[in-house]
Amino acid sequence: MKILVLNSGSSSLKYQLFDMPNESPICSGLVDRIGLDQSTLKHKIFKDGGEEVFQISQPIKDHEEGLQLITDLLVDGEKGVLTSMEEVEAIGHRVVHGGDQFASTTIITDEVKQKIESLIELAPLHNPPNLLGIKVAERIFPKAKQVAVFDTAFHQSMPEKAYRYAIPNEFYTEMGIRAYGFHGSSHQYVSKIAFELLNKPDAKIITIHLGNGSSMAAVKGGKSMDNTMGLGPMGGLVMGTRCGDIDPSIIFYLLNQKGFSPKEVNELLNKKSGLLGMTGSSDMRDVKNAIEKGNKNATLAYEIYAYRIQKYIGAFTAVMNGLDAIVFTAGIGENDPDMRAAVCKNMDYFGIQVDNTANQKHSSEIREINPSSSKTKVFVIPTNEELEIGQQTYRIVKGEKI
Ligand code: ADP
């Protein structure tokens, strides 16, 4: 069965085609700068253990045109990977916010679309392009099953004491203000692998997703018990451009004493803070280059970044009353041994230790980087959100309850 996974952003369409059930990726790509100048499509075909990559630059006015371009490529006489687009039996859509209405992956119906629409209030930047991707895919692939996989769904198992805020109850009951948690497909994917490696039914795992956006989850017995994000994706860890945890009084100080507008504060904390705000670049590789050149702000930002992760390891170990493994994943988690070492430094109270040679070795494999004597395992597990979405889409289309 061929399954197409779509991640539709405001001006981009990321896609990957899988052959199921063997989970082999057939091709993947990104349509970027939709509706802007210099739109591009980057397409990668996986063949005979290698990759063939090519790029098209042409005006792409909207998502419909973008998806049509992808479809034309999939069935192209020369470069195509399918004989007809009807081979695509299902499309798995990434949907960022499922509120508390979706605790699992679901086949898309009119009612599901209405609910996703009603959640736009909670995710004004993400749910509209996700919904648009669904509507466009329905038109271009009318025979395929459309499936929604929510970033928030994995965290719906959090207990109420973890997801409620200490504000008057009606703000929860009437407005849905609570912690939801994000990066669910990634936390689910890597924790499942760690869970299998540990082979222990009630394994206590902390997953640490460090990309442009970053979050951690406390996963006990395969279920998310807590996470570092809240109502939206701004809380918790230091990120590329988002501030992570701050005292709410900072917001009111800026609004009331310093003359900022709500829009400016939002922009500041979402787009101009985090690594960017502290160092001038949101990219961890730039931050590390700056550290090497002796930049003190970059050194401090790196320390704050690691310190915040350590704090949450402590908090999550406490709420799970134990810890069997921590898992590093995503761009920084997978590729920056120095950050992994900084996070694991002086954490022996938690049984966390890192073997320097294993940690420094460059690899894209799943690996264990703790010394054999370490009480807590330290894993590096490359995430694959697209595959998680593809797997869940396959299972639900086959009629499995997930
Ligand atoms: P996204 O959230 O957009 O999917 P990624 O998971 O690709 O992001 O992570 C992007 C982050 O990973 C960037 O900050 C980038 O600098 C960082 N990164 C990638 N490779 C390395 C590396 N070798 N060392 C340090 N950071 C890295």
Side-chain angles (χ1 to χ4, degrees):
M1 185 192 292
K2 306 286 190 296
I3 289 187
L4 181 66
V5 172
L6 267 192
N7 182 352
S8 175
S10 58
S11 62
S12 68
L13 262 178
K14 239 176 157 178
Y15 61 95
Q16 192 153 348
L17 183 69
F18 289 100
D19 190 22
M20 291 295 188
N22 65 29
E23 301 184 348
S24 49
I26 301 169
C27 64
S28 71
L30 170 70
V31 184
D32 212 3
R33 301 187 57 83
I34 296 173
L36 305 168
D37 57 331
Q38 295 168 336
S39 316
T40 53
L41 185 154
K42 270 192 202 134
H43 188 69
K44 203 190 272 182
I45 299 173
F46 305 99
K47 214 160 62 185
D48 309 324
E51 291 176 4
E52 191 187 324
V53 185
F54 54 94
Q55 186 165 332
I56 299 170
S57 296
Q58 67 173 67
I60 302 170
K61 76 169 188 304
D62 55 22
H63 286 67
E64 184 127 12
E65 210 173 295
L67 188 56
Q68 192 58 57
L69 203 60
I70 298 169
T71 315
D72 293 346
L73 263 178
L74 297 180
V75 296
D76 183 76
E78 204 184 316
K79 298 190 177 102
V81 289
L82 301 174
T83 45
S84 112
M85 55 189 267
E86 256 129 62
E87 275 186 68
V88 176
E89 281 187 49
I91 302 186
H93 296 268
R94 177 191 183 204
V95 181
V96 166
H97 219 308
D100 47 16
Q101 317 215 22
F102 297 103
S104 60
T105 292
T106 178
I107 301 254
I108 297 172
T109 59
D110 285 343
E111 196 193 338
V112 168
K113 276 185 284 181
Q114 272 160 21
K115 283 188 184 166
I116 296 173
E117 184 140 27
S118 73
L119 291 162
I120 284 177
E121 278 195 326
L122 290 175
L125 298 179
H126 293 100
N127 274 26
N130 298 160
L131 193 59
L132 178 63
I134 292 170
K135 289 180 180 166
V136 168
E138 282 176 335
R139 283 200 292 273
I140 295 182
F141 293 87
K143 296 211 174 121
K145 288 229 162 62
Q146 310 285 339
V147 174
V149 183
F150 299 92
D151 267 29
T152 47
F154 181 57
H155 301 297
Q156 281 292 301
S157 48
M158 288 193 292
E160 194 162 7
K161 64 185 173 190
Y163 70 71
R164 286 288 293 272
Y165 292 115
I167 57 176
N169 297 332
E170 57 272 24
F171 286 81
Y172 168 62
T173 51
E174 288 165 24
M175 299 182 202
I177 295 178
R178 50 159 283 184
Y180 290 99
F182 297 88
H183 295 133
S185 297
S186 178
H187 290 296
Q188 187 164 10
Y189 181 79
V190 299
S191 64
K192 215 166 37 180
I193 294 172
F195 193 66
E196 279 162 20
L197 290 170
L198 291 165
N199 194 20
K200 187 176 169 192
D202 64 342
K204 295 164 181 171
I205 300 166
I206 296 175
T207 47
I208 309 171
H209 175 110
L210 306 176
N212 281 314
S214 298
S215 69
M216 290 166 62
V219 185
K220 190 170 162 190
K223 293 202 176 325
S224 172
M225 306 306 286
D226 206 344
N227 95 100
T228 54
M229 283 180 166
L231 176 73
M234 279 172 80
L237 303 182
V238 175
M239 305 183 218
T241 65
R242 290 176 231 148
C243 57
D245 287 343
I246 59 162
D247 176 350
S249 30
I250 294 171
I251 297 170
F252 301 103
Y253 182 70
L254 292 173
L255 290 175
N256 301 332
Q257 259 73 37
K258 295 290 169 191
F260 281 72
S261 70
K263 192 162 167 255
E264 283 168 335
V265 177
N266 189 24
E267 187 90 358
L268 170 78
L269 301 178
N270 246 319
K271 303 215 171 116
K272 297 181 180 165
S273 294
L275 294 177
L276 177 66
M278 291 188 289
T279 71
S281 172
S282 63
D283 191 299
M284 191 55 103
R285 286 163 293 201
D286 295 339
V287 176
K288 294 187 75 178
N289 285 336
I291 293 173
E292 268 177 32
K293 290 187 186 127
N295 182 317
K296 290 210 169 58
N297 288 334
T299 305
L300 179 63
Y302 206 74
E303 283 174 5
I304 295 174
Y305 193 98
Y307 178 80
R308 189 78 54 84
I309 299 169
Q310 288 186 317
K311 246 164 91 163
Y312 272 109
I313 290 176
F316 286 173
T317 304
V319 299
M320 291 194 289
N321 189 21
L323 181 64
D324 293 299
I326 63 171
V327 181
F328 287 98
T329 195
I332 299 164
E334 291 166 32
N335 299 304
D336 187 357
D338 302 327
M339 180 51 69
R340 293 194 296 259
V343 168
C344 295
K345 197 172 167 200
N346 295 332
M347 295 290 274
D348 24 335
Y349 184 77
F350 295 92
I352 296 173
Q353 287 174 318
V354 158
D355 177 287
N356 199 31
T357 313
N359 183 35
Q360 289 294 337
K361 197 172 146 211
H362 187 73
S363 162
S364 53
E365 304 286 307
I366 295 170
R367 54 209 189 271
E368 188 177 317
I369 59 166
N370 51 276
S372 52
S373 59
S374 169
K375 186 162 87 52
T376 301
K377 303 269 188 216
V378 182
F379 295 124
V380 181
I381 303 181
T383 195
N384 194 337
E385 287 153 292
E386 287 78 19
L387 179 56
E388 181 64 38
I389 294 172
Q391 285 170 338
Q392 293 197 23
T393 302
Y394 176 70
R395 285 167 60 200
I396 204 144
V397 168
K398 294 281 286 175
E400 225 180 286
K401 193 140 181 55
I402 54 175

